[in-house]
Amino acid sequence: MSKLAITAVNDFVIKFANVNGSGSASANTLFAKSILRMGVPVSPRNIFPSNIQGLPTWYEVRVTEDGYLARRGGCDFMVAMNPQTWDKDVAEIETGGYLFYDSTRQMPQSKFRADINVIGIPLTEIVNAAYTDPRQRQLFKNIIYVGALSALLDVEVAVLEELIAEQYKGKEKLLPPNIAALHMGRDYALQHLDCNIGLKVKRADKVGDRIFVEGNSAAALGAVYGGATVAAWYPITPSSSLAEAFAKHCKKYRTTDDGKARYAIVQAEDELASIGMVIGAAWNGARSFTATSGPGISLMQEFLGLAYFAEIPSVIFDVQRAGPSTGMPTRTQQSDVLSCAYASHGDTKHVLLFPEDPHECFAFGAEAFDLADRLQTPIFVMLDLDIGMNERLCKPFEWDEARRMDRGKVMTAEALEAGKDFGRYLDVDGDGIPYRTYPGTHPTKGSYFTRGTSRDRYARYTEEGDAYVDNMQRLLRKFETAKEIVPKPVITKAAHATRFGVIYYGSTSPAMHEALDLLNDGGLHLDALRVRAFPFADEVLDFIAAHDDLFVVEQNRDAQLRTLIISEGAIDPAVLTPVLHYDGTPITARFIANEISQKLKALHVAPLHAVLSKRVSRENK
């Protein structure tokens, strides 16, 4: 090994460079889960192209006992299986890091770096000697390199065998050849390689009771617990797995003992049809939702305006990706904030929820349906590809068995029979939320015409300006009411008093947590606020008022959350400095810490330890 070799136990980044469609994802996930099964936290991310087969794909695994779940940035160990991306992959390795490659074909020395450690294993030669079928050669090559990595990194082979057995439960014929391929790679490494490298995995007990789950699956389960019985959707990356997970959960939890489905899931002909079905089902009293991404939101605009103006509760899970247009369908961004907040033409404002991890995807996924019913309006749950399609460690889901669905202001047949005044758009208590009735509530009372046109408080058509203004002002009052019932922001105070703050949201959260530690270690202290919903609670504006300078960290080009804060809070733009990352990969702690430290330097802010050092020096003089 090189004198520059990185040495670390349970603290490194390993990255797999493969070709899409090669079957590598299954093997790479197996590797990540084996480390997790050894009690060491991992945070894997699959970075894949939008084609079916042939383009580069990467799978990055962050291994750290400290429990950081964000991408760190950089790579300590590169498994380079794709000649197309060789130069880029080799360049990404940290000085003293490790390059693992298929050495069947000799590579020119110019393709390596002097400051890294090279580990070659003739994978193609091994599989060609063992298998004749081309597909078997391709698939088992992946398992062979996992076996070799187990020897190099001290991953317990028994754990890998256990995981393979679980993977092929019910397909026992596939188990022996996969176990054999695993040992083929492990045995070769033990016999032919110097396995005494500086990176090791050591069994620990750092995972605790946390679970490992994708955000899309968590949100879908939240929808089940939240009472959703209808889903209408059109396939679009990266939201399709949310609808598919809902179908799976419903099959388990919404199917009677005699096999009857107590739910309806419709794959519509397009996004327009899907949101129309959702609104129709919601108007009829069902809790319904759709799952989509940015292009779907664009197509749904008119129907979303109808749901807002006619005040029909509905839930939209927006799993954001990189736009505009088709953009980068399999890359992550937080790029739909403004398009969802003001979706549709005219004066429209929608409620947005920003979960940070699968735990909140579940919680917000359930809560969205209560909010939709209470506020009688569409609710957007703003995931993104990074949360939705990557497995993440998080707290176990929680559910209060005593909790009941909050259907909001629904007028009953008894109330109508007793002579209660019913006006579909009548505000009786000043919160902006009227009473509604379900279809068929009473044979002669409580009916109304559902309108997307202007109307009075009793749903009677009118284009009188006073009636229109009255209705629009009531909708604003309802939006003010929403401030009090949406999830509150989370505020984290710095260890030392500071006039600087940072605002962030959603999937940026894990990187922000780590970046705050990095900045703190460098003597730069910031209070932090995580926005969890729009409309913004008063705490958000109070936090801004309490600091001289603030940074808003986002994963989009146009600083969309910052724009929303400035617009809705009448904030001086100079107070909010954008920190923007939008290349489609998940934001890293290193990026945030570097950007903020550089911007603070431009403001002539010295690290606290430097200030204290100067003060002590002056006092000694």
Side-chain angles (χ1 to χ4, degrees):
M1 289 292 108
S2 163
K3 293 180 180 179
L4 297 171
I6 295 174
T7 59
V9 176
N10 295 348
D11 186 13
F12 57 89
V13 174
I14 180 169
K15 193 168 185 176
F16 300 81
N18 300 100
V19 175
N20 201 34
S22 64
S24 59
S26 177
N28 297 341
T29 302
L30 172 71
F31 172 82
K33 287 184 175 179
S34 68
I35 297 176
L36 185 66
R37 192 69 65 90
M38 288 176 64
V40 182
V42 297
S43 181
R45 281 173 171 82
N46 193 13
I47 303 169
F48 59 100
S50 56
N51 77 329
I52 300 301
Q53 187 168 345
L55 288 182
T57 182
W58 293 270
Y59 189 84
E60 183 177 290
V61 183
R62 174 91 183 268
V63 181
T64 171
E65 276 196 26
D66 291 334
Y68 292 123
L69 299 179
R71 289 184 69 223
R72 186 198 69 190
C75 169
D76 302 310
F77 195 114
M78 177 66 71
V79 180
M81 295 290 113
N82 187 358
Q84 290 176 276
T85 60
W86 175 276
D87 292 339
K88 178 181 178 181
D89 297 331
V90 171
E92 192 176 343
I93 303 170
E94 301 275 298
T95 297
Y98 303 83
L99 170 66
F100 178 98
Y101 80 108
D102 183 353
S103 61
T104 302
R105 288 183 62 184
Q106 191 171 3
M107 300 284 287
Q109 196 60 38
S110 61
K111 288 292 185 179
F112 299 98
R113 284 168 45 193
D115 62 342
I116 62 174
N117 303 282
V118 179
I119 303 169
I121 177 171
L123 292 169
T124 302
E125 181 181 309
I126 294 171
V127 295
N128 286 350
Y131 309 99
T132 56
D133 180 79
R135 185 58 177 165
Q136 281 189 329
R137 285 176 172 177
Q138 184 180 53
L139 294 176
F140 287 124
K141 181 178 180 179
N142 302 321
I143 300 298
I144 290 170
Y145 73 59
V146 170
L149 292 175
S150 73
L152 290 163
L153 299 169
D154 284 354
V155 177
E156 296 174 12
V157 69
V159 171
L160 285 162
E161 291 173 342
E162 181 182 276
L163 285 165
I164 291 173
E166 292 172 8
Q167 182 176 338
Y168 292 108
K169 188 176 182 180
K171 301 177 182 178
E172 276 69 23
K173 287 184 178 179
L174 298 175
L175 183 57
N178 276 277
I179 296 294
L182 178 75
H183 281 279
M184 202 179 298
R186 181 177 176 85
D187 292 346
Y188 185 94
L190 290 172
Q191 294 168 18
H192 299 91
L193 301 178
D194 177 6
C195 292
N196 187 31
I197 70 169
L199 300 179
K200 295 295 180 184
V201 179
K202 183 179 179 182
R203 180 170 283 276
D205 187 18
K206 299 293 185 178
V207 175
D209 65 348
R210 286 180 291 178
I211 60 175
F212 195 56
V213 63
E214 288 183 352
N216 280 353
S217 181
L221 186 61
V224 172
Y225 274 75
T229 57
V230 177
W233 64 295
Y234 182 76
I236 182 172
T237 302
S239 71
S240 294
S241 62
L242 197 158
E244 291 163 355
F246 181 72
K248 180 181 177 181
H249 296 320
C250 282
K251 191 172 183 180
K252 181 176 182 180
Y253 296 114
R254 292 216 187 289
T255 304
T256 61
D257 292 339
D258 58 357
K260 290 183 179 179
R262 302 184 62 83
Y263 59 92
I265 301 172
V266 182
Q267 183 176 318
E269 61 266 34
D270 54 34
E271 287 88 351
L272 281 170
S274 67
I275 191 63
M277 293 174 188
V278 167
I279 293 169
W283 176 86
N284 203 45
R287 288 193 157 184
S288 58
F289 75 90
T290 190
T292 190
S293 191
I297 297 296
S298 297
L299 291 169
M300 295 176 185
Q301 295 286 307
E302 188 173 357
F303 263 137
L304 290 169
L306 172 64
Y308 172 79
F309 201 54
E311 298 178 69
I312 301 172
S314 46
V315 173
I316 301 94
F317 291 96
D318 179 13
V319 190
Q320 299 165 89
R321 69 190 208 188
S325 187
T326 305
M328 294 191 290
T330 58
R331 297 291 191 265
T332 195
Q333 273 190 14
Q334 297 172 314
S335 55
D336 297 345
V337 175
L338 289 175
S339 63
C340 289
Y342 301 124
S344 189
H345 54 280
D347 294 322
T348 313
K349 290 184 181 181
H350 296 294
V351 175
L352 315 180
L353 306 181
F354 301 110
E356 70 165 345
D357 63 4
H359 178 86
E360 284 194 343
C361 287
F362 170 80
F364 290 4
E367 188 173 356
F369 292 92
D370 275 356
L371 289 171
D373 273 346
R374 289 180 66 183
L375 294 166
Q376 298 176 30
T377 197
I379 305 293
F380 290 79
V381 184
M382 307 294 289
L383 294 80
D384 58 38
L385 185 146
D386 187 30
I387 294 179
M389 292 190 70
N390 287 309
E391 290 177 299
R392 186 85 56 82
L393 277 172
C394 68
K395 293 187 299 182
F397 304 152
E398 300 165 350
W399 190 257
D400 182 358
E401 292 298 334
R403 177 175 170 177
R404 295 293 177 264
M405 289 187 291
D406 188 342
R407 301 308 301 256
K409 293 181 178 179
V410 179
M411 193 165 288
T412 63
E414 292 76 16
L416 290 167
E417 191 64 34
K420 187 92 170 182
D421 183 23
F422 174 70
R424 177 63 186 95
Y425 303 107
L426 176 66
D427 184 1
V428 298
D429 53 15
D431 65 359
I433 306 169
Y435 275 85
R436 61 177 173 140
T437 56
Y438 296 135
T441 295
H442 191 280
T444 60
K445 301 176 181 180
S447 61
Y448 62 93
F449 197 97
T450 303
R451 294 190 181 277
T453 52
S454 182
R455 65 293 176 116
D456 66 11
R457 296 176 180 181
Y458 291 87
R460 294 174 299 210
Y461 170 76
T462 178
E463 292 188 22
E464 290 294 326
D466 289 347
Y468 174 79
V469 169
D470 175 69
N471 192 57
M472 295 298 286
Q473 287 300 116
R474 181 183 57 76
L475 290 171
L476 275 184
R477 290 198 300 276
K478 181 164 72 171
F479 203 67
E480 286 296 312
T481 299
K483 285 184 182 180
E484 303 303 318
I485 62 176
V486 297
K488 298 292 185 183
V490 176
I491 298 174
T492 305
K493 299 291 289 183
H496 300 274
T498 178
R499 59 189 178 90
F500 300 103
V502 61
I503 297 171
Y504 62 102
Y505 62 106
S507 66
T508 303
S509 187
M512 192 70 246
H513 293 166
E514 185 176 0
L516 287 170
D517 287 345
L518 293 174
L519 290 164
N520 183 67
D521 292 344
L524 298 172
H525 305 287
L526 294 92
D527 295 327
L529 179 142
R530 177 166 67 88
V531 173
R532 299 204 296 164
F534 173 73
F536 304 122
D538 290 339
E539 289 89 336
V540 175
L541 301 183
D542 292 343
F543 182 84
I544 294 171
H547 296 84
D548 294 344
D549 292 283
L550 297 106
F551 303 94
V552 184
V553 181
E554 307 189 53
Q555 297 184 73
N556 58 67
R557 185 196 69 180
D558 293 341
Q560 294 188 25
L561 183 72
R562 176 179 178 269
T563 301
L564 201 57
I565 292 171
I566 290 168
S567 174
E568 295 292 327
I571 303 298
D572 178 2
V575 174
L576 302 177
T577 300
V579 175
L580 307 174
H581 180 277
Y582 52 93
D583 67 0
T585 61
I587 196 168
T588 68
R590 287 181 178 181
F591 173 85
I592 297 174
N594 182 65
E595 286 289 304
I596 290 179
S597 62
Q598 291 300 317
K599 292 179 188 298
L600 284 173
K601 189 180 295 183
L603 293 171
H604 306 291
V605 178
L608 183 59
H609 59 74
V611 174
L612 294 175
S613 178
K614 288 181 180 179
R615 184 180 300 167
V616 170
S617 178
R618 285 197 303 268
E619 289 173 355
N620 288 339
K621 288 180 179 179

